[in-house]
Amino acid sequence: MAWFSKKPRIAVDTEQQAEPRPSRMEGLWSKCESCDEIIYRQELEKNWMVCPHCDHHHPWAARSRLATLLDPDSFEEFDKELEPQDPLGFSDSKKYKDRLKSTRKSLEENDAFISGVGRIQGHQVSVGAFVFEFMGGSMGSVVGEKVTRVFERAHELKCSALIFSASGGARMQEGIFSLMQMAKTSAAIARFRTGNRPYISVLLHPTTGGVAASFSWLGDIILAEPKALIGFAGPRVIEQTIRQKLPEGFQRSEFLLEHGMIDNIVNRKDLRSKLGQILGLLG
């Protein structure tokens, strides 16, 4: 008998081996898009998704924004049950109804806009915020309806209106139905203004297309976050159309403030106090 013997090899499950094991460190750290610093995710969230090293404003979820900026437990959501339909039976690389279904499931949101009533430093506001993660914050029929109801509700309650915009524009999958929301929301603002209450529009990164070309630009006070991209068409489309090189920083909030298109640029950490100040003076 040999003084050694071969041990039977352990069978390896190749299918199980092919699946990557989730790292315990996954999701704990974030890399700043501006300065490339690695930031502890929890620290970034505590800092309102603003980089502590370079002050870069990272995307911030709409519900987190509302929970932080509004007075604690003051937000009451409305119109959550509204869901977009597929009036054109639209299909590109994927059917529109299937795209809606998968997006709703992954985000647990019915559409790209959250609306309701809350308070900021005791001042009542009818408020809405875009969910940019939902198809680029595009404005379809339901988003247009919910924006309209923000102004109608503000008119009924005789309070101020506040909207946080972050959108790629009109939703192409709904065609003319989407484009009609530009006129619909603008008409709602005209009715709201008969009550002599202010509408504060806060432009986030990015605010473009039909949203920028309608209610977002119609605020009595227009604020923006630093370095936000704001405009109708993208810079590349404009350059190809006019065949000219655009100025440095064109369509960024700093450029727009310099040219009188917005009223102020407000750091995210200062926004709650600034809104409270404006509402105290005008609301």
Side-chain angles (χ1 to χ4, degrees):
M1 180 177 178
W3 64 275
F4 70 92
S5 60
K6 291 183 179 181
K7 293 182 179 180
R9 292 182 179 181
I10 299 173
V12 178
D13 188 345
T14 55
E15 291 185 4
Q16 186 177 0
Q17 191 178 35
E19 295 179 2
R21 291 181 179 179
S23 171
R24 288 184 297 173
M25 304 298 288
E26 188 176 353
L28 290 179
W29 302 91
S30 293
K31 184 177 181 181
C32 178
E33 300 169 359
S34 179
C35 67
D36 292 335
E37 283 285 341
I38 304 299
I39 313 163
Y40 188 39
R41 179 76 184 183
Q42 200 171 48
E43 179 186 354
L44 186 62
E45 290 174 352
K46 285 182 179 178
N47 204 39
W48 295 18
M49 298 303 290
V50 177
C51 176
H53 302 283
C54 69
D55 210 37
H56 176 71
H57 285 50
H58 291 259
W60 199 16
R63 291 194 179 274
S64 298
R65 184 185 300 274
L66 293 174
T68 304
L69 294 177
L70 298 175
D71 293 350
D73 301 320
S74 69
F75 181 64
E76 182 184 0
E77 187 173 358
F78 289 92
D79 311 319
K80 188 176 181 179
E81 73 284 354
L82 297 181
E83 295 183 358
Q85 303 300 314
D86 185 14
L88 304 180
F90 191 92
S91 178
D92 44 26
S93 60
K94 190 175 183 180
K95 289 183 178 180
Y96 179 41
K97 61 181 180 181
D98 294 338
R99 196 183 299 276
L100 287 172
K101 185 177 179 180
S102 61
T103 308
R104 284 196 204 108
K105 185 178 180 180
S106 62
L107 295 177
E108 297 183 352
E109 298 285 357
N110 282 338
D111 210 335
F113 194 78
I114 300 168
S115 60
V117 174
R119 292 185 178 274
I120 297 179
Q121 295 185 355
H123 303 285
Q124 189 178 38
V125 289
S126 180
V127 61
F130 273 83
V131 182
F132 188 77
E133 298 83 359
F134 197 108
M135 298 184 68
S138 53
M139 179 172 65
S141 301
V142 167
V143 171
E145 175 64 21
K146 294 179 80 170
V147 170
T148 299
R149 293 189 186 187
V150 167
F151 296 109
E152 291 177 343
R153 197 170 292 119
H155 185 65
E156 292 172 6
L157 297 174
K158 297 181 180 179
C159 67
S160 304
L162 170 64
I163 290 184
F164 299 95
S165 296
S167 172
R171 188 171 297 175
M172 58 173 259
Q173 288 88 348
E174 294 188 23
I176 192 65
F177 295 98
S178 177
L179 294 177
M180 289 173 66
Q181 306 311 309
M182 297 171 64
K184 179 178 178 178
T185 54
S186 300
I189 294 173
R191 291 193 299 271
F192 163 73
R193 285 209 168 108
T194 61
N196 297 320
R197 295 288 178 172
Y199 159 40
I200 305 171
S201 178
V202 182
L203 309 181
L204 312 175
H205 175 78
T207 302
T208 57
V211 170
S214 56
F215 63 89
S216 287
W217 279 118
L218 296 177
D220 298 300
I221 300 290
I222 301 177
L223 307 177
E225 288 190 339
K227 298 181 181 178
L229 176 66
I230 304 164
F232 180 59
R236 185 176 61 181
V237 174
I238 296 173
E239 283 186 340
Q240 291 174 348
T241 302
I242 66 175
R243 298 180 182 180
Q244 292 183 21
K245 185 70 177 176
L246 296 173
E248 186 69 24
F250 180 74
Q251 289 187 329
R252 294 290 173 174
S253 48
E254 290 76 11
F255 184 90
L256 298 176
L257 177 63
E258 184 181 342
H259 290 78
M261 295 294 288
I262 61 178
D263 296 304
N264 203 357
I265 297 173
V266 185
N267 190 293
R268 191 176 288 168
K269 292 179 286 185
D270 301 324
L271 187 55
R272 175 175 159 79
S273 60
K274 176 62 71 175
L275 291 172
Q277 181 185 29
I278 293 171
L279 292 169
L281 292 172
L282 302 178

